Amino acid sequence: MRAVLAATTLSALLVSLSPAGAAEPSPELTFVPEVDLPLTVVGGAAWVATELAKKGLAPDACRWCAVGSLDASVRDALLWSGNPGTAHDVSNVTVLVVAPVSALGLTAFAAWHDGRTENMAADLMIVSEAMVVAMGLNQLTKYAVGRQRPYAHFENPDVLYCEGAGCARPLPHDDDLSFFSGHSTAAFSLAAASGTVASMRGYRAAPWVWAQGMALAALSGYLRIASDRHYFSDVLTGAALGSAAGVLIPYLFHGPRAGVAGPDTRSFRLSLAPAIGGARAGVAGTF
């Protein structure tokens, strides 16, 4: 008998934009300030401490020095030749200022828009917690792997020997901390966490939260390659792990549970049904 492969289908997201007065009460999420606040603060402080101690923690030489053909070709295609410093500066502004302000601001707006301002503190803390966890994993990996950055591997004079306005010459102990991109990790974890929280709450503005977050995150990843600070595989890994943390931290630790956002509510549904030629699975959400 011929084997039949199961087909997996992601159903279209159903967006319901009812008048403001008709919004249903948003589901409660699991949130314990006595646990989540210290975890976020301590995790953030630990990240700052490891950044300040980078000179002593960074490897003396690259442990991963080779460059694959895909990374090399993408670098050649996207590098801002002659002006990588500008891409570096724009990426810093995008990730350190625009992305967090946008993600946290839109998350708060989504709650306000539905008349659920009492959710704001918990929502913002959950999003921040997801980013802190993602960045902690990123920091540990960077120091352990010791991958050489592209500007150091290719000895890019526009980065190593730049002068004048717009010059962003890196510190020597930063040369071997390429894998994986911290900027991409931060941007994608913010985007995914804010979108996941908004979706779990059932906010009507959830699609907008997802859209702006992912657009900014994708831009930040592109700029890290354009600035010759990261390879495509660095950015891709940061995007994958940042997104995973952004989805799983809210979902696993702040819901779902019985009577809260998850399989028992209208916000999430998993179904498996027979179809011609095999089985068909679907995941559906209503935001």
Side-chain angles (χ1 to χ4, degrees), residues 10 28 73 88 93 139 164 166 202 209 213 240 242 281:
L10 182 64
E28 286 297 324
S73 61
H88 176 66
V93 173
Q139 199 80 320
V209 178

Side-chain angles (χ1 to χ4, degrees), residues 159-203:
V159 176
L160 295 174
Y161 311 115
C162 64
E163 295 180 358
C167 177
R169 187 182 300 177
L171 298 174
H173 52 263
D174 202 45
D175 291 353
D176 301 308
L177 299 175
S178 189
F179 187 82
F180 48 93
S181 171
H183 284 65
S184 296
T185 302
F188 276 95
S189 62
L190 281 169
S194 59
T196 299
V197 168
S199 297
M200 292 173 69
R201 290 285 198 190
Y203 296 148

Side-chain angles (χ1 to χ4, degrees), residues 5-216:
L5 297 177
T8 303
T9 304
L10 182 64
S11 66
L13 297 178
L14 306 177
V15 180
S16 106
L17 294 174
S18 54
E24 297 181 9
S26 61
E28 286 297 324
L29 302 185
T30 304
F31 175 67
V32 182
E34 296 83 357
V35 175
D36 295 304
L37 180 58
L39 176 63
T40 304
V41 172
V42 172
W47 182 86
V48 171
T50 56
E51 277 291 295
L52 296 176
K54 183 181 290 185
K55 184 175 181 179
L57 295 174
D60 295 329
C62 60
R63 301 188 183 106
W64 179 2
C65 308
V67 180
S69 58
L70 177 60
D71 278 335
S73 61
V74 173
R75 173 188 180 270
D76 291 342
L78 301 184
L79 176 64
W80 285 15
S81 181
N83 196 21
T86 299
H88 176 66
D89 292 339
V90 176
S91 73
N92 282 337
V93 173
T94 300
V95 175
L96 300 179
V97 180
V98 180
V101 169
S102 180
L104 298 175
L106 272 179
T107 301
F109 169 80
W112 172 84
H113 183 255
D114 284 3
R116 309 297 172 192
T117 55
E118 69 275 8
N119 293 343
M120 285 185 182
D123 290 353
L124 298 182
M125 182 58 61
I126 293 170
V127 172
S128 301
E129 181 182 353
M131 184 193 68
V132 166
V133 171
M135 292 305 294
L137 176 61
N138 169 260
Q139 199 80 320
L140 288 173
T141 306
K142 274 187 173 183
Y143 290 130
V145 172
R147 186 181 194 184
Q148 191 174 36
R149 292 189 187 269
Y151 69 76
H153 180 86
F154 293 99
E155 298 183 354
N156 187 342
D158 294 326
V159 176
L160 295 174
Y161 311 115
C162 64
E163 295 180 358
C167 177
R169 187 182 300 177
L171 298 174
H173 52 263
D174 202 45
D175 291 353
D176 301 308
L177 299 175
S178 189
F179 187 82
F180 48 93
S181 171
H183 284 65
S184 296
T185 302
F188 276 95
S189 62
L190 281 169
S194 59
T196 299
V197 168
S199 297
M200 292 173 69
R201 290 285 198 190
Y203 296 148
R204 290 167 294 151
W208 300 105
V209 178
W210 278 106
Q212 65 82 28
M214 287 299 171
L216 286 173

